[in-house]
Amino acid sequence: MPVFEQFTHPSNAKSPRRRGRGLGGGRGKTAGRGQTGQKSRSGGNIPARFEGGRTPAVRKFGKFSGFQRRRKLHYHAVNLDDFAAADSGTVIDLAYLEAHSLLPKKRRGMLIKLLGDGKLEHKLVFKLHAYSNSARAKVEAAGGTCEVIE
């Protein structure tokens, strides 16, 4: 027996179903569109972005809202005022802040930044993650040091 290749010949191609050609055709009258409504009309196709009359998502969100960085660095700020009671030569690090309740409750991955609000009268050694320029200047003017930790 010969092996025939599969191909579509005009004699064995199925003709498309003719809709709307009378009741005897099986798909007559409404041609499978139902009785009434927008989708039964000619040209009654609804755009894909249409959401049924509610405010569309395109209009809900800002035009130029941009995005938020997933790895943004969040610093917890402490001021020089917070260390007015510390003795001269004290090392101000995370353990000191913890002991004096200067850290927030939720602090996993929290970075600490020293800000320059207030006066510093005596020499302190700071070991924190970041410093403002004014804080660094005031600490060094008082004879202290600012060490950046990782």
Side-chain angles (χ1 to χ4, degrees):
M1 290 182 76
V3 177
F4 295 103
E5 293 181 20
Q6 289 185 347
F7 66 96
T8 305
H9 192 268
S11 63
N12 57 11
K14 193 171 182 181
S15 58
R17 189 176 286 277
R18 301 178 68 224
R19 295 171 168 236
R21 298 295 190 272
L23 294 176
R27 293 277 198 288
K29 193 182 170 218
T30 56
R33 289 174 175 249
Q35 292 290 331
T36 55
Q38 184 177 7
K39 291 170 81 173
S40 72
R41 317 283 189 222
S42 66
N45 48 355
I46 303 167
R49 65 185 178 276
F50 187 68
E51 299 184 25
R54 70 179 177 190
T55 305
V58 170
R59 285 180 52 209
K60 270 186 188 174
F61 308 117
K63 188 173 180 182
F64 300 113
S65 59
F67 64 94
Q68 292 181 345
R69 291 188 348 204
R70 295 180 68 193
R71 293 194 171 106
K72 184 177 179 181
L73 298 177
H74 294 282
Y75 288 101
H76 177 71
V78 291
N79 281 301
L80 290 175
D81 279 345
D82 300 330
F83 309 109
D87 297 329
S88 182
T90 305
V91 176
I92 308 295
D93 55 359
L94 298 178
Y96 179 91
L97 297 176
E98 171 83 35
H100 290 80
S101 303
L102 292 173
L103 292 178
K105 285 185 180 179
K106 295 182 180 179
R107 56 178 168 267
R108 184 188 319 174
M110 180 74 64
L111 303 175
I112 310 299
K113 183 171 184 174
L114 181 66
L115 303 181
D117 190 18
K119 294 181 180 179
L120 193 63
E121 302 293 331
H122 39 273
K123 176 183 174 182
L124 294 175
V125 178
F126 287 93
K127 294 183 179 181
L128 301 176
H129 298 104
Y131 305 91
S132 68
N133 290 335
S134 61
R136 187 181 292 272
K138 289 180 182 180
V139 169
E140 290 172 353
T145 58
C146 295
E147 183 181 329
V148 177
I149 60 173
E150 300 268 334

